[in-house]
Structure formats: C-alpha cells, structure tokens
C-alpha cells in the first residue's frame, strides 16, 4: 500500500462518498456522516492531518460535482466499527451484540466524544462515588506534596499508620468522630521503606504509643499520644532493614543477611546481634521465631531481655532443624491456650507450620510429654514444586502458598484445642491467586503493601487479596480456605490502588464489643479508603448458604481479559516468569545461595 493525503481543497465541491476498508471489511458512507462531529479521527483523516493508506483497489476519482474516494484503509476491528458507523448515521446506539467496553474502546480511538460519554454512563450506571455497601470511610491525605502516594498501611488496635514516601501519618478510630488524624511525622529526607506501630507499650516511661520508620539501614522511633511528640532516637543496623515490627513492647529490626536489632522499651537499650542469614520470621506472644537458610528455626524470648542484654546477648536458641537442611522460607506459629515455649505444667501445646525452599510444608508440635526435648515432626506435605513463600496454621486450616501463587489448603482436625493426627489434616482446596505485581520482596515471609496474604487472625477466617496488575483501581477479596470470592473492591474516586492491608479494630460503640475487621486501600492520590470486611464476610457466608458456589473466586475469563488489556506484559520483564527445562526435579538449595523472591535462583515450575 502507498500513503496518500487528501487536500481539503479537493473536497469542497459537491457531495462526497467515502469508501472505507476497515480491517478488511468494506464500508461506504458520506463525508457528512463521518464529519458531523468535529475534531474526530475522521475529520483529521479527510482534511489531510492524518496520512492514509489505500488498498490495491484504491484509485481516487474526482469530478466537478462529485468525488469518490475508494478503499481508505483503517486497521481496526470491522465488527466494532459497525455500531460506531450506525451511531454517526442515526445518533442511536445499537451494539449489535458487541461488548459495550469494546465499542467504547473503539469510540475512544475514533474520538467520538458524545458516544463515549453515553457508553460511559451505561457502563457506570450502577457505580456510585459514595462507594458500595462495604465502603466505610474516606481519609484524605494532608495537603502536602510528600503525601501523594500511599506506600503501605499497618494497624494496631484502633489505630492505623499510613506510610508516604517522606512522611508517616497515624489515624485513630473514635466512637463519635470516626477516623481522626493523631500524628504526623516530620519530613523524612530518606525514603520511608518500613514502619511499625504500637499503641499499647507497657512498662516504658516514654508514653504508650510509638511509631518507628526504617530507611535503608537507619531506624527512627517516635513516641506520641498522651505526651508531646518525642523522637526517642535514631538507631543503626548497618545493613538494609528488611522487616520492622514490635514483639510486645520491643521494637525488632531484621535483615536477611542475618543481623537482628532490638530496642527494649524498659531500659531503652538498642542491641544488635548476628545470626545465620534469615529467610522467614513469625512472632507469638513474647517470642520471636526466625527461619534461616541453614534449615534451622531459632527463637528469642524477649521477656528475658532485661537480664541478658547486659552481657551483650539476645539469647538466640535453636528450636528445630529441618530433616533435609532446606532453607525455612515461611513460618507460622499457633499457640493453644496456655501454650508457651518454656514448658512446665500440663496443657502446653505449641504448633508450628513451616515451608522450605524445596516446596515442602511441615508441621511440628511440642506437647506436654515432650517438653524439654523440642518440637516433634507431626506431618509433611510435598504438594508444591516451588519454594514456599507463605504458610499459615490457624484453628481450622493449614494454608500454604508457593512462588507461583499456587495455594493449597487443608482442614485441621482438633481435639480439645490441640491438633489431632486422626484423621489429621484433610485436603480442602487447590487454586491459584494470579498476580502480575511488580513488587520485589527482599526475602520470604515479609509483609509488604501488596502481599496477597493470607490475612486474618488464626482463630478466625483468613482471606487473600488479589490485585492482578500493579496499576488498577479494583481488586478481589477471596476466602483463603476455599479461594471463593468474598467481594470486589473498587476505588470510590477511580484512583489506582497502590497498597492494601487488613486489620481488626475493637468495637468503639457503647453497645459494641465485637471486633470489626476492616480492609484498607491506599491510593496514588494519597487517600486511604476503608471497607467493612466483617459485613462482606457475613454477606458471603449467607450467600454460600443459599446458593451453590461455582467457578473460581478470582476474576472470570472476561474480567481477566479486560484487566490484561491495561498492561503490556512484553514490556515488563518483572511480570514474566522463568521456567526451568526440567520440571521433574525438585529445586534444591545450593550452599551460599541467596534466597529471595524475584531472584533468578527462585526457580518457578508447575505445582
């Protein structure tokens, strides 16, 4: 084909017939039909502002009274062009069994603004700027340029902390006024990468509310609330901080290199210690558990800090070693009533589920008869063929997730609160939580603003959050036990969701004592949107009792196609997966191997 441009002077005389070749299908109409709406693709095409192509039959014939332009080629969908041409002829919308979103997309390409507006109204007829039934609150960020994109949200009791690039804000849920801003940090010169919140610090003299922020290897700690805001101190770990959280009243910083830092609230002492490279962690009561690359699980009893920190030791104790020496890439501890690591007395039963770099999931227990001997291996599952990134052992279920976002769940049988071997853990569900997020985790087990989960307390229902692509304004909430959909959350103002979190708050009403589960979404415009997850879970339960669930809980095939239209997989190397030629061999950790999510060594194959 050759390029040809039309001069506006050649179209000034008489009637004009335009012949189009749209994607191989031929159409014939008048110039007046194509150009009655100004500033469209067709007006630019016919006055020469857009170069055009003619096909092999595209001879241009000009007369004094009439001009016929044959076969102007447009490389678009011919079926979707039919309702657009019909609208230009009649000003009526007839989709002709073509999807509304498809016609709208083509109308946007051709610049048919009135049609785009009408189709948008049809598409959003059920949407409301005030949100759906589950929408609970909208928190605008303070008017500051450093607060225009929310990076992460975390919570503690009735408080949440919101992280921006160079600032931290804390909000409190009150009975009469809802969410109120209670703390704003000074401007942070360095990027706020991690944060930790504790609003019930016990035994300290610096107040009962503390917020910590990590930037690189540096940690800053503030006290706020009943006393004036005070910066307690700035601490150095001397390596990048990959996790920051409170265990009881003690601030803990962890680096995957194996360095641990602890700040004690009573004596206000900052202590560092080196360990084996750390690949996972979990906390239970006053105990901190660490999974390491050498296959060992260690624990630290923070209650003994005042005694042992004087001799420069955090009292790191080996609890268990994997039988095959595989790196422990995920940890979950379940403490039964009165359970503890110290032993002594009857009824002590500690259960730990952990995943390895080879895809194995194991459950170990310590029961009264074996106190002093360490945990004993109870069960082993080899259903994954990829490294385990998340594992959760709850009252009712065991849930595991591998690097390919493949989820396996089991029903846990208990007798008098303790896990039972008869009939043991029964397979419940197998599904995948598809995400193409470009978040690169430092190492396994660490929370981030876009982790899929599972979220939720171990004595309740856990959920997964499915955000299919990084830049999108809606996501899916799914039951972790079965994978079924709970609800679909869509931003009330249309802004893209940049992070999310799940947190339970105490009842703030005079007659309300029930914990309310909230879902928080941070957005690119700096807002935080709050959703009532307790109501959503109740509604999902009622629906499952009256309707037989069918299909997957994630996006349907048509929904997924619509989502993927918004991203270019080929241009983002981070969304592609590396597969090894031999899928019959389980991935074995190599000595001194760097185990990280997103690393080329984190091999992915089918489960």
């Amino acid at each position: 084909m050759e390029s040809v441009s039309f001069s506006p002077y050649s179209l000034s005389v008489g009637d004009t017939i335009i012949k189009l070749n749209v994607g191989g299908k031929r159409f014939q109409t008048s110039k007046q039909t194509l150009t009655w709406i100004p500033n469209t693709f067709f007006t630019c095409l016919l006055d020469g502002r857009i170069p055009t192509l003619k096909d092999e039959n595209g001879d241009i014939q000009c007369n004094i009274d009439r001009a016929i332009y044959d076969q102007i080629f447009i490389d678009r969908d011919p079926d979707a062009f039919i309702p657009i041409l019909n609208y230009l002829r009649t000003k009526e919308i007839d989709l002709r069994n073509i999807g509304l979103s498809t016609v709208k997309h083509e109308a946007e390409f051709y610049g048919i603004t009135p049609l785009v507006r009408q189709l948008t109204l049809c598409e959003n007829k059920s949407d409301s700027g005030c949100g759906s039934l589950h929408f609970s609150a909208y928190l605008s960020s303070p008017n500051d340029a450093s607060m225009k994109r929310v990076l992460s949200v975390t919570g503690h009791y009735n408080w949440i902390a919101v992280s921006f690039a160079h600032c931290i804000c804390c909000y409190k849920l009150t009975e009469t006024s809802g969410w109120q801003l209670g703390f704003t940090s000074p401007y942070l010169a360095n990027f706020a990468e991690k944060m930790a919140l504790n609003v019930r610090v016990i035994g300290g003299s610096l107040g009962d509310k503390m917020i910590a922020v990590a930037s690189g290897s540096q940690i800053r700690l503030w006290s706020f609330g009943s006393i004036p805001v005070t910066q307690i101190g700035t601490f150095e770990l001397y390596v990048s901080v990959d996790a920051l959280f409170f265990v009881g009243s003690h601030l803990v910083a962890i680096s995957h290199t194996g360095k641990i830092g602890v700040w004690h609230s009573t004596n206000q002492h900052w202590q560092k210690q080196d360990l084996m490279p750390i690949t996972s962690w979990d906390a239970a009561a006053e105990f901190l558990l660490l999974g390491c690359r050498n296959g060992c699980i260690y624990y630290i009893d923070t209650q003994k800090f005042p005694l042992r920190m004087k001799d420069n030791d955090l009292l790191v104790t080996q609890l268990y070693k994997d039988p095959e020496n595989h790196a422990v890439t995920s940890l979950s501890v379940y403490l039964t009533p009165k359970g503890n690591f110290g032993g002594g007395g009857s009824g002590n039963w500690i259960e730990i589920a952990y995943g390895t770099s080879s895809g194995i999931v194991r459950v170990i227990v310590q029961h009264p008869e074996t106190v002093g001997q360490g945990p004993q291996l109870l069960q082993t599952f080899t259903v994954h063929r990829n490294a385990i990134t998340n594992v959760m052992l709850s009252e009712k279920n065991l849930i595991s997730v591998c690097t390919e976002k493949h989820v396996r769940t089991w029903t846990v049988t208990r007798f008098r609160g303790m896990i039972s071997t008869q009939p043991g853990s029964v397979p419940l569900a197998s599904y995948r939580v598809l995400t193409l997020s470009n978040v690169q985790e430092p190492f396994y087990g660490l929370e981030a603003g876009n982790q899929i989960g599972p979220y939720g307390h171990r004595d309740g229902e856990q959920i997964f959050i499915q955000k299919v692509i990084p830049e999108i304004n809606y996501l899916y909430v799914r039951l972790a036990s079965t994978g079924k959909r709970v609800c679909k959350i869509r931003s009330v103002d249309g802004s893209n969701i940049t992070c999310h979190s799940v947190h339970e708050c105490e009842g703030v009403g005079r007659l309300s004592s029930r914990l309310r589960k909230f879902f928080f979404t941070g957005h690119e415009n700096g807002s935080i949107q709050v959703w009532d997850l307790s109501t959503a879970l109740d509604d999902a339960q009622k629906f499952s009792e009256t309707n037989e669930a069918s299909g997957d809980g994630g996006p349907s095939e048509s929904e997924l196609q619509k989502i993927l239209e918004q991203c270019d997989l080929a241009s983002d190397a981070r969304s592609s997966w590396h597969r090894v030629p031999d899928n019959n061999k389980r991935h074995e950790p190599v000595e001194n191997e760097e185990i990280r999510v997103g690393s080329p060594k984190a091999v992915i194959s089918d489960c």
Side-chain angles (χ1 to χ4, degrees):
M1 296 181 183
E2 61 180 281
S3 177
V4 56
S5 297
F6 294 103
S7 170
Y9 302 105
S10 64
L11 303 173
S12 61
V13 180
D15 189 16
T16 305
I17 297 175
I18 308 296
K19 290 187 176 182
L20 304 174
N21 182 340
V22 181
K25 193 169 185 177
R26 305 184 189 282
F27 299 87
Q28 184 169 324
T29 186
S30 68
K31 178 188 175 185
Q32 182 180 0
T33 297
L34 292 178
T35 59
W36 68 268
I37 299 176
N39 299 320
T40 67
F41 171 86
F42 300 108
T43 59
C44 295
L45 178 75
L46 297 177
D47 67 10
R49 284 180 287 170
I50 297 179
T52 62
L53 295 174
K54 61 179 182 179
D55 65 9
E56 63 277 4
N57 299 318
D59 296 330
I60 300 178
Q61 303 173 4
C62 296
N63 300 318
I64 296 178
D65 297 325
R66 187 180 183 191
I68 300 178
Y69 293 85
D70 283 346
Q71 316 310 333
I72 301 174
F73 182 75
I74 303 175
D75 192 12
R76 302 296 292 184
D77 183 355
D79 294 331
F81 182 70
I82 295 175
I84 291 175
L85 181 57
N86 183 70
Y87 176 81
L88 292 174
R89 286 169 171 166
T90 66
K91 299 184 182 180
E92 296 178 354
I93 299 177
D94 183 1
L95 298 181
R96 306 287 182 95
N97 295 322
I98 306 296
L100 187 148
S101 60
T102 301
V103 177
K104 178 186 171 185
H105 180 73
E106 291 299 297
E108 290 172 342
F109 171 80
Y110 291 116
I112 314 297
T113 303
L115 178 58
V116 172
R117 290 173 179 171
Q118 294 181 50
L119 294 176
T120 300
L121 288 173
C122 295
E123 191 175 44
N124 300 332
K125 63 180 180 179
S126 60
D127 292 345
S128 169
C130 296
S132 64
L133 172 65
H134 304 133
F135 178 65
S136 177
Y138 186 96
L139 309 179
S140 300
S141 68
N143 188 19
D144 191 295
S146 64
M147 305 179 189
K148 293 304 180 185
R149 184 180 180 91
V150 181
L151 301 181
S152 63
V153 180
T154 188
H156 193 231
Y157 289 95
N158 284 6
W159 285 78
I160 61 169
V162 181
S163 170
F164 302 92
H166 298 285
C167 183
I168 303 294
C169 293
C170 295
Y171 296 84
K172 181 183 180 181
L173 178 61
T174 63
E175 178 181 353
T176 57
S177 303
W179 293 95
Q180 296 294 309
L181 182 64
F183 168 80
T184 302
S185 74
Y187 179 85
L188 305 175
N190 297 321
F191 200 79
E193 298 172 357
K194 306 289 180 182
M195 67 174 175
L197 175 67
N198 190 338
V199 297
R200 293 194 180 180
V201 178
I202 301 174
S205 60
L206 299 174
D208 61 346
K209 298 177 179 62
M210 295 185 182
I211 180 74
V213 180
S215 301
S217 63
Q218 189 178 81
I219 302 157
R220 298 176 68 179
L221 178 63
W222 289 274
S223 174
F224 69 98
S226 58
I227 64 173
V229 175
T230 304
Q231 180 168 323
I232 297 174
T234 301
F235 314 107
E236 270 288 346
L237 195 63
Y238 296 106
V239 290
S240 178
V241 177
D242 294 312
L244 187 68
F245 53 94
F246 283 93
V247 178
S249 298
H250 318 300
L251 179 64
V252 177
I254 292 177
S255 171
H256 76 275
T257 61
K259 188 176 287 290
I260 309 170
V262 177
W263 179 86
H264 193 272
S265 61
T266 302
N267 56 23
Q268 300 165 29
H269 181 74
W270 172 253
Q271 175 66 37
K272 302 181 298 294
Q273 187 163 322
D274 290 319
L275 191 64
M276 293 294 298
I278 301 169
T279 47
S280 59
W281 61 269
D282 194 16
E286 298 292 331
F287 291 88
L288 171 64
L289 277 80
L290 303 169
C292 294
R293 196 170 63 190
N294 62 354
C296 291
I297 299 175
Y298 299 91
Y299 79 92
I300 300 175
D301 184 354
T302 61
Q303 289 180 322
K304 298 181 179 179
F305 280 175
L307 175 65
R308 295 306 305 269
M309 293 182 81
K310 294 180 180 179
D311 58 8
N312 201 37
D313 189 87
L314 293 179
L315 203 70
V316 180
T317 305
Q318 180 175 320
L319 181 68
Y320 185 79
K321 186 172 180 64
D322 182 71
E324 299 181 40
N325 299 325
H326 293 170
V328 179
T329 54
S330 186
L331 269 174
S332 178
V333 183
Y334 182 82
L335 291 181
T336 60
K338 299 182 181 180
N340 61 69
F341 288 96
S346 60
N348 297 327
W349 187 283
I350 298 95
E351 304 165 359
I352 301 174
Y354 73 90
T356 70
S357 57
S358 59
I360 295 175
V361 177
R362 302 187 196 272
V363 178
I364 58 177
V365 299
Q366 179 174 291
H367 48 81
E369 294 78 9
T370 61
V371 169
Q373 302 178 18
Q376 304 296 309
L377 180 62
L378 180 69
Q379 291 176 304
T380 299
F381 304 94
T382 57
V383 295
H384 290 282
R385 294 176 56 82
N386 309 283
I388 306 300
T389 58
N390 300 83
V391 66
M392 175 174 279
L393 179 60
S394 67
E395 181 182 7
K396 298 179 180 179
N397 300 111
L398 171 63
I399 303 165
S400 61
V401 189
C402 72
T403 54
E404 205 175 39
K405 303 296 191 299
H406 175 222
V407 181
R408 288 296 302 265
T409 67
W410 295 264
T411 299
V412 174
T413 304
R414 295 188 177 277
F415 178 71
R416 294 181 179 177
M418 299 180 293
I419 194 169
S420 172
T421 57
Q422 297 295 332
S425 301
V426 180
L428 178 60
S430 174
Y431 58 93
R432 188 180 181 195
V433 182
L434 175 65
T435 62
L436 301 179
S437 176
N438 57 15
V439 174
Q440 298 295 308
E441 290 303 320
F443 62 102
Y444 297 144
L446 293 187
E447 295 182 356
N450 287 281
Q451 280 273 34
I452 66 170
Y455 295 95
H457 287 300
R458 290 173 173 84
D459 56 353
E461 185 72 59
Q462 291 79 44
I463 61 171
F464 282 112
I465 306 299
Q466 185 171 7
K467 182 182 175 186
V468 180
I469 60 176
E471 300 296 329
I472 197 169
N473 63 1
Y474 60 91
L475 40 73
Y476 300 88
V477 180
R478 304 173 64 176
L479 290 176
S481 57
T482 62
K484 298 303 179 182
R485 184 183 300 187
V486 175
C487 61
K488 179 179 177 180
I489 299 295
R490 182 183 294 273
S491 169
V492 297
D493 59 5
S495 59
N496 285 338
I497 298 172
T498 55
C499 63
H500 56 257
S501 179
V502 176
H503 178 60
E504 287 189 358
C505 297
E506 295 176 330
V508 295
R510 293 181 178 89
L511 301 178
S512 175
S513 59
R514 178 191 176 190
L515 290 174
R516 299 295 299 178
K517 186 174 291 186
F518 290 102
F519 178 54
F520 301 90
T521 54
H523 296 258
E524 62 184 359
N525 61 1
S527 68
I528 304 95
Q529 299 177 21
V530 187
W531 310 83
D532 186 352
L533 196 52
S534 293
T535 301
L537 288 169
D538 290 343
D539 292 345
Q541 178 64 29
K542 293 176 183 177
F543 180 83
S544 64
E545 291 174 354
T546 57
N547 298 272
E548 183 177 354
S550 61
D552 185 63
S556 63
E557 183 175 342
S558 59
E559 288 175 323
L560 183 59
Q561 290 175 354
K562 186 175 181 180
I563 292 172
L564 295 181
E565 288 176 358
Q566 304 177 43
C567 66
D568 184 2
L569 300 182
S571 65
D572 187 357
R574 292 170 296 188
S575 65
S576 61
W577 295 309
H578 170 66
R579 295 181 181 271
V580 292
D582 186 4
N583 289 334
N584 296 319
K585 294 183 179 180
R586 187 181 299 278
H587 175 58
E588 303 291 343
V590 181
E591 185 178 0
N592 297 326
E593 177 182 2
E594 194 73 12
I595 302 175
R596 291 190 179 191
V597 173
S599 166
K601 297 278 182 135
V603 180
I604 294 177
S605 61
D606 292 326
C607 288

